Amino acid sequence: MSAVTSHASYCIHLNPDLSDLDQIYIENQILALIGDEARKMDSKTDPFDNLDVLVTAAIQNGKIEDAPASKQILEAQLMNFATPLPSTINSIFWDKHLINSREATDWFYNLSKANNYIQTRAISKNLKFTTKSEYGDLEITINLSKPEKDPRAIAAAFNTPQNDQYPLCQLCMENEGYLGRIDYPARSNHRIVRFNLGGQTWGFQYSPYSYFSEHAIFLDQIHEPMEITRQTFVNLLTIISTFKDYFVGSNADIPLVGGSMLSHEHYQGGRHNFPMFKAPIEHDLKLKSFPNLKAGIVKWPMSVIRISSNNKKDLIDAAEMIREKWQEYSDESVGIRAYVNGERKHTVTPIAHRNGDEYTLEIVLRDNQTSEKYPDGIFHPHQDVQHIKKENIGLIEVMGLAILPGRLQTELSEVKKFLLNQDNEIKESHRPWAEELKSKQVWNKDNIEAQLNQAVGDVFSRVLEDAGVFKRDDKGKVAFMNFCKKIC
Ligand SMILES: [Zn+2]
């Protein structure tokens, strides 16, 4: 059997819009992309290996350039044949959802992997480990899955005028089926499930480079800026009522303390029990306007108020009350300021999850002030831990899963050599940390992997403490209680 037939059969098998009658037609569509010369190639059993064979053939036949963007575009085009039309996806998804939510998400998740939209092969390269902390286990991922950046892509992005951009951003609905360009991801095989959220159309899709199980994105049909309001809490609770066993959270709506996509309203969710969800309440709170609500301060390096109830309206009202109070709250004694030169500095990172009928909102207090001493952010990883993490502490990190840059893979292997007294090219940025580690512990080849992983986890714990607005020393705890008096 030739490679083309094998891929055509795979597409027909996966795509309910197609049947055996479409075999010849699909084969010819594939040949149009990879060249007729390819039809007698040997096929591979694994569909993704086979995809590589097709892409290589297209390069050999002069159909595409041997460049990352061209290959990704062709891969997505080929996998588009395996992907039902958006209308079919939506009707199957919601039919299954009538039976149960899990059946629908399982189906769409498996499809998004099988059609290579979720880049499972790239994701499997990520390094993952768990470390201990006083807050419970923390999860660490060194991100090796993002594709290499083509220097021409950077140049092309620089030369594209902002107004001419199409799609406007990577979270816009217009990405569905979009071919892609040298400076823009290939989305031919991308599909979005539509649903109604607070009277607006929203989309639901999976993240192509997922950081945890069933990493999903919920996006507004309208390209409009992120904004945390009462409606955000309504939306988050509605989402976990619809997607019954998912959590969902929103990044902050101001710079430095959230994600990188402030220009398009969206949330992230999925099926994962994050370290923060497992952290206990260390101080109970009684909110007097909400006597039936469970509330408390979470034992966590960042400043988190957890509220739980089976009454969604109470939860929404209480969350909005906390958000409003925090937005206006200043405490000079600990350097917390709601406004600087008239600019708002406060917001929250809200996260919703549920356990049966009990709904929980985790409300993480954020402050994005900068200072001369901390130009990157006062409540942001400080200089001495930026050799491990200098990026914003967004939703996923907040919950105790570190997404660390891929550069660390090679850098940490040099740190290992340094710790084992071998020849090394340790980066100067890691040296003070590595010297301290060397002086504190005995290092040998049997313990280095575990000890260094733990040391990275310890830095991540510090990173989260830096991002916490109320520090965990006595002064910070008193200050946190003073704020809580405003909401109790
Ligand atoms: Zn957009």
Side-chain angles (χ1 to χ4, degrees):
M1 192 167 57
S2 78
V4 170
T5 305
S6 163
H7 189 71
S9 309
Y10 182 68
C11 296
I12 290 164
H13 173 71
L14 212 63
N15 185 346
D17 287 330
L18 303 175
S19 74
D20 287 342
L21 200 59
D22 300 306
Q23 180 85 25
I24 296 166
Y25 166 81
I26 290 296
E27 275 184 45
N28 281 326
Q29 297 297 307
I30 295 167
L31 285 175
L33 294 171
I34 62 169
D36 291 358
E37 300 89 330
R39 73 185 191 280
K40 292 213 172 74
M41 286 171 330
D42 286 335
S43 63
K44 303 273 184 196
T45 328
D46 180 84
F48 295 151
D49 289 346
N50 211 51
L51 188 62
D52 294 340
V53 168
L54 298 180
V55 171
T56 306
I59 296 166
Q60 282 165 359
N61 295 334
K63 284 284 186 180
I64 63 162
E65 263 187 274
D66 188 1
S70 322
K71 290 198 257 186
Q72 283 150 20
I73 287 172
L74 180 61
E75 279 181 11
Q77 280 181 294
L78 289 165
M79 280 308 190
N80 184 40
F81 298 128
T83 313
L85 289 170
S87 52
T88 308
I89 296 260
N90 274 270
S91 95
I92 294 177
F93 183 90
W94 291 111
D95 280 351
K96 288 185 183 290
H97 193 274
L98 283 178
I99 304 164
N100 82 50
S101 154
R102 175 84 192 243
E103 195 160 317
T105 50
D106 278 356
W107 173 77
F108 188 43
Y109 183 62
N110 288 328
L111 177 87
S112 300
K113 283 194 289 186
N115 83 346
N116 205 33
Y117 181 71
I118 300 174
Q119 301 278 308
T120 39
R121 286 192 296 178
I123 294 162
S124 69
K125 294 181 192 147
N126 288 346
L127 301 175
K128 290 180 165 207
F129 52 90
T130 302
T131 63
K132 302 279 173 215
S133 85
E134 62 179 289
Y135 313 105
D137 288 354
L138 298 175
E139 297 171 10
I140 313 285
T141 292
I142 296 179
N143 183 16
L144 301 169
S145 65
K146 289 264 158 125
E148 52 183 308
K149 264 250 159 69
D150 188 327
R152 288 171 303 169
I154 299 164
F158 183 73
N159 291 325
T160 311
Q162 287 268 308
N163 311 341
D164 289 354
Q165 277 180 20
Y166 178 85
L168 263 179
C169 83
Q170 290 188 29
L171 294 171
C172 279
M173 296 271 188
E174 285 76 12
N175 286 282
E176 192 171 46
Y178 183 67
L179 182 67
R181 310 183 297 262
I182 188 164
D183 61 338
Y184 198 92
R187 293 287 181 255
S188 290
N189 55 344
H190 175 36
R191 300 292 185 269
I192 303 171
V193 169
R194 268 54 162 204
F195 66 107
N196 183 300
L197 191 60
Q200 308 280 338
T201 299
W202 277 61
F204 157 64
Q205 62 170 83
Y206 288 103
S207 166
Y209 294 100
S210 68
Y211 294 134
F212 50 84
S213 180
E214 303 183 37
H215 185 171
I217 302 172
F218 301 89
L219 40 94
D220 194 339
Q221 186 178 38
I222 304 164
H223 177 89
E224 60 188 357
M226 302 271 298
E227 192 184 10
I228 311 267
T229 63
R230 186 178 194 282
Q231 187 62 40
T232 309
F233 305 119
V234 176
N235 288 350
L236 296 181
L237 292 182
T238 306
I239 286 173
I240 58 168
S241 306
T242 308
F243 300 84
K244 291 186 182 2
D245 43 14
Y246 278 9
F247 82 93
V248 66
S250 174
N251 256 313
D253 56 350
I254 53 177
L256 300 182
V257 291
S260 51
M261 303 288 266
L262 281 169
S263 60
H264 193 125
E265 181 74 284
H266 71 287
Y267 312 130
Q268 296 185 69
R271 184 191 307 285
H272 189 61
N273 191 15
F274 281 88
M276 189 175 83
F277 303 168
K278 298 176 211 164
I281 298 264
E282 66 179 348
H283 201 104
D284 286 318
L285 298 172
K286 288 262 167 282
L287 310 188
K288 65 174 175 300
S289 312
F290 306 95
N292 298 322
L293 211 75
K294 277 195 259 173
I297 295 175
V298 181
K299 186 179 179 197
W300 195 244
M302 296 185 69
S303 308
V304 189
I305 295 172
R306 174 181 295 158
I307 51 178
S308 303
S309 174
N310 52 16
N311 181 332
K312 284 191 258 181
K313 181 168 184 310
D314 263 9
L315 268 184
I316 291 159
D317 290 343
E320 177 60 359
M321 183 269 290
I322 295 168
R323 187 194 70 79
E324 281 182 333
K325 296 278 189 208
W326 173 245
Q327 184 164 302
E328 303 301 321
Y329 190 76
S330 295
D331 181 349
E332 281 296 333
S333 77
V334 284
I336 284 171
R337 295 173 194 92
Y339 295 90
V340 174
N341 299 326
E343 192 180 299
R344 175 165 70 95
K345 294 292 164 191
H346 283 185
T347 191
V348 298
T349 301
I351 300 132
H353 53 102
R354 66 184 277 191
N355 184 2
D357 287 338
E358 186 175 72
Y359 291 77
T360 293
L361 280 170
E362 315 269 2
I363 300 170
V364 189
L365 309 178
R366 310 301 300 267
D367 176 320
N368 77 343
Q369 288 182 81
T370 55
S371 68
E372 222 162 274
K373 190 175 176 197
Y374 300 118
D376 305 317
I378 298 173
F379 305 102
H380 179 88
H382 292 168
Q383 211 90 58
D384 63 323
V385 288
Q386 288 189 2
H387 63 107
I388 297 291
K389 176 83 183 173
K390 60 169 181 255
E391 295 79 10
N392 290 350
I393 300 308
L395 175 67
I396 296 170
E397 275 88 13
V398 163
M399 298 185 288
L401 168 55
I403 309 298
L404 301 179
R407 64 175 167 84
L408 284 178
Q409 186 185 32
T410 42
E411 292 177 17
L412 290 176
S413 69
E414 294 304 316
V415 171
K416 277 185 192 166
K417 292 180 199 164
F418 173 87
L419 292 168
L420 294 172
N421 297 312
Q422 296 168 348
D423 286 346
N424 63 79
E425 290 174 31
I426 189 170
K427 279 190 79 174
E428 282 312 305
S429 59
H430 293 303
R431 191 182 288 275
W433 173 62
E435 277 171 353
E436 199 193 332
L437 292 176
K438 204 185 222 176
S439 70
K440 280 197 314 203
Q441 276 171 296
V442 176
W443 297 85
N444 58 50
K445 65 179 185 356
D446 296 326
N447 67 22
I448 193 150
E449 187 77 29
Q451 282 187 189
L452 189 59
N453 283 354
Q454 181 58 46
V456 170
D458 293 344
V459 174
F460 178 52
S461 183
R462 238 298 306 281
V463 158
L464 293 180
E465 286 166 358
D466 284 354
V469 291
F470 294 110
K471 299 309 176 196
R472 295 188 51 80
D473 54 14
D474 290 344
K475 190 178 171 190
K477 284 182 178 169
V478 169
F480 201 168
M481 285 315 296
N482 284 337
F483 171 66
C484 289
K485 283 178 198 152
K486 300 276 178 193
I487 59 169
C488 288

